[in-house]
């Protein structure tokens, strides 16, 4: 099962390899693992109140492939909080089952349709459509006005712009799947998908990140299919006939005796979803992200149509903003950024040299402040405006000038930085880590390090002077 689930290796090929070597496959164990995974996926998915509905009526006649609006749809069942009712009224949330509907119910990764159910007496806003049973659709509604009873007739109107955006993304997903197999290899298998009006999200079996060059190649293939603009073809046929067409089938999915075969450009897949009339309706396809989601599973997110246009316009606006900040033409920003980075590196090098000189000078100034205790020089000093590197450089300078020494240096801006140093001959009695932690605990922090060098930080700047005043006593006690 791991070969199938993680690496996309089909069960039938595993069985072939095993047979060649005198082994058999535990089909029962495989099925149990598959069912366990499906149960876990369902448990992790969003809760649908219609899963608990008790319904034993007729199937829903789905007309959404051809129509976005159906008049005279009869209300066959109503549910409030999972309980069957005879009527619903303004303000209530409910599930409505109709004898016929143009609303697509969430399935195969495509989200359910939204829209409006209405008649002269009532208006119901449909937020989602799901399946109560495989062939029974539940419309999740809020009653905006009026009252609806079982047996009433309604006009069912799908939100056309939302559906159009969703089908663009769904059809592009089929083309993406085909392109992935062309660019990355035939081992690529769909591991999951989510298609809504905003984007398509596609998970697939692959063991390496998709490179920038491969992403560009995939985009080129999909957009070439869009430009060719062939009409989408849908055929209902027997499962065996569908296999003969070479249509892509999702391993592990359960298909009925009759299936719907979708031909979209060069892609041929089994799919019951709604799709564009021709690939050109997709408009534009753009991948927005790629990354890993599990061992051996990658995820691509992409946008189409007006969402793709908005995405590219946003990128263009960002490029223009960067160009303005760099006082450069958009076509020259890469060169300008490289130039700026070189200038920053040069300035950082100059700054480091200046800080080194300041540290050396301060080291010389601080030498006279050291107090000798049992033959060891002890120094505790605060350097205003010094960063950690400057504290280190000053510490190195002081060690070389003082000889045998225990040193604690501090700097305070909005926080406290501390560094302690002990020459090798004194580390047997005084540990730099102990000293720096002793001071740090007094300024709201903690730290530690080696016996000869240690760092710490703190948050209580006001407590620093008093903490520094305790250093000599601490070191003196250690050197007794």
């Amino acid at each position: 099962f791991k070969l199938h689930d993680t690496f996309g290796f089909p069960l039938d090929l595993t069985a072939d390899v095993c047979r060649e070597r005198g082994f058999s496959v535990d089909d029962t164990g495989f099925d149990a693992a598959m069912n366990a995974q499906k149960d876990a996926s369902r448990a992790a998915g969003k809760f649908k109140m219609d899963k608990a509905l008790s319904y034993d009526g007729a199937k829903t006649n789905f007309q959404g492939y051809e129509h976005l609006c159906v008049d005279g749809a009869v209300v066959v069942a109503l549910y409030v909080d999972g309980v069957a009712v005879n009527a619903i009224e303004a303000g209530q949330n409910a599930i409505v089952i109709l004898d016929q509907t143009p609303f697509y119910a969430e399935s195969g990764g495509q989200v359910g349709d939204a829209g409006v159910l209405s008649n002269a007496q009532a208006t119901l806003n449909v937020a989602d459509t799901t399946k109560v049973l495989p062939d029974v659709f539940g419309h999740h509604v809020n009653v905006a006005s009026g009252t609806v009873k079982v047996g009433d007739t309604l006009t069912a109107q799908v939100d056309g712009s939302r559906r159009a955006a969703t089908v663009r993304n769904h059809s592009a997903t089929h083309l993406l799947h085909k392109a992935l197999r062309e660019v990355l290899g035939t081992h690529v298998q769909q591991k999951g998908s989510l298609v809504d009006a905003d984007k398509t999200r596609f998970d697939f079996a692959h063991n390496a990140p998709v490179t920038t060059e491969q992403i560009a190649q995939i985009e080129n293939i999909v957009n070439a299919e869009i430009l060719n603009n062939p009409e989408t073809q849908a055929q209902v046929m027997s499962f065996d006939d569908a296999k003969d067409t070479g249509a892509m089938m999702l391993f592990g999915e359960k298909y009925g005796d009759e299936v719907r075969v979708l031909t979209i450009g060069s892609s041929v897949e089994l799919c019951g979803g709604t799709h564009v009339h021709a690939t050109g309706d997709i408009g534009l396809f753009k991948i927005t992200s790629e990354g890993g989601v599990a061992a051996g599973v990658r995820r691509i997110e992409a946008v189409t149509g007006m969402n793709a246009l908005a995405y590219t316009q946003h990128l263009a606006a960002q490029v223009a903003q960067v160009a303005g900040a760099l006082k450069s033409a958009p076509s020259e920003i890469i060169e300008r950024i490289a130039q700026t980075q070189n200038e920053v590196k040069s300035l950082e090098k100059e700054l480091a040299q200046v800080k080194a000189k300041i540290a050396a000078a301060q080291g010389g100034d601080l030498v006279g402040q050291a107090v000798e205790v049992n033959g060891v020089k002890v120094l505790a000093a605060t350097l205003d405006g010094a960063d950690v590197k400057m504290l280190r450089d000053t510490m190195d300078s002081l060690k070389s000038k003082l000889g045998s020494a225990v040193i604690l240096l501090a700097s305070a801006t909005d926080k406290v930085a501390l560094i302690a140093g002990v020459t090798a001959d004194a580390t047997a009695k005084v540990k730099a880590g102990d000293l720096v932690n002793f001071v740090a605990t007094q300024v709201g922090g903690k730290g530690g390090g080696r016996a000869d060098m240690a760092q710490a930080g703190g948050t209580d700047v006001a407590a620093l002077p008093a903490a520094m005043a305790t250093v000599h006593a601490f070191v003196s006690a250690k050197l007794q």
Side-chain angles (χ1 to χ4, degrees), residues 364-379:
D365 294 340
L366 294 173
V367 167
Q369 298 180 28
V371 176
E372 187 169 330
V373 178
N374 290 343
V376 177
K377 298 289 180 63
V378 180
L379 173 65

Side-chain angles (χ1 to χ4, degrees), residues 272-294:
T274 56
H275 288 275
V276 296
H277 295 295
T279 61
D281 295 341
I282 297 170
L284 173 65
F285 172 83
K286 180 64 181 171
I287 292 174
T288 58
S289 68
E290 188 279 336
V293 293

Side-chain angles (χ1 to χ4, degrees), residues 443-463:
V443 293
K446 62 181 181 179
R450 304 192 310 269
D452 63 331
M453 180 73 77
Q455 287 182 213
T459 56
D460 191 352
V461 176

